[in-house]
Amino acid sequence: MDSPVYMDAVITPNRSLSQRGFIVLISIVTLFNCIAAGVFLSMGATLVPVFLGLDVLAVIAAFAASYAAAKRIERVLVTPRAVKVVRETPKTSEIVWESPTAFTRVALEIDEDDIVHGVRLAMSGRHASIAAALSPVERADFARALERAIYDARRG
């Protein structure tokens, strides 16, 4: 029989702009660049439209990189036997942390204003940072939930 799972959290980066929003944004940027290119061409500045086109390509490339990064997920799994962190992309899956549940601790990186800047799993002098895609408030909530899951897994 499989052991119970006390936590199976999937952490994904926030995508602030939907596909439709991206198309609208690129359309607006392209429209304004075409108007500006027309104005500059009428004044005899023939190279300016080339740079305006490069501007649109740079925005598209930045969003393409952002969307590619949004496809990376981090999975945190807590069972009575082990705590495991796996980072997955559409093509690969890499285990970045695996340790016995009984010896795994959760450590927080907190500044003087009580803002959580990082969550780490620690054991025997080694550590791994997790939940970097979350906001500081979400990191604190996640750390509490993770500590609770580890505690419950130890008792179970």
Side-chain angles (χ1 to χ4, degrees):
M1 184 163 94
D2 292 336
S3 62
V5 175
Y6 289 91
M7 176 182 269
D8 187 4
V10 177
I11 300 169
T12 58
N14 182 27
R15 282 184 51 185
S16 60
L17 196 61
S18 68
Q19 189 70 24
R20 182 173 184 221
F22 170 72
I23 291 170
V24 169
L25 176 71
I26 291 300
S27 298
I28 291 171
V29 168
T30 302
L31 176 70
F32 281 119
N33 278 357
C34 286
I35 292 169
V39 169
F40 282 111
L41 280 175
S42 69
M43 295 186 330
T46 57
L47 290 179
V48 173
V50 173
F51 290 106
L52 291 173
L54 291 175
D55 179 45
V56 172
L57 290 177
V59 171
I60 291 171
F63 274 100
S66 173
Y67 285 138
K71 292 180 183 176
R72 289 185 293 227
I73 65 167
E74 184 174 59
R75 181 180 297 271
V76 180
L77 184 69
V78 177
T79 65
R81 300 187 79 173
V83 177
K84 187 187 289 189
V85 178
V86 180
R87 295 207 174 113
E88 300 173 357
T89 66
K91 295 180 182 178
T92 64
S93 178
E94 174 190 11
I95 297 174
V96 294
W97 178 269
E98 188 169 13
S99 63
T101 303
F103 301 108
T104 304
R105 293 176 320 185
V106 177
L108 296 175
E109 298 169 12
I110 302 174
D111 68 5
E112 62 274 354
D113 297 326
D114 290 333
I115 296 174
V116 178
H117 289 285
V119 178
R120 293 186 308 166
L121 291 173
M123 184 189 85
S124 300
R126 56 183 202 114
H127 59 84
S129 295
I130 59 171
L134 300 177
S135 71
V137 173
E138 291 170 329
R139 274 188 218 118
D141 292 342
F142 177 75
R144 280 192 292 279
L146 180 58
E147 285 176 330
R148 183 68 190 175
I150 291 172
Y151 176 78
D152 290 345
R154 286 176 184 159
R155 293 184 66 218

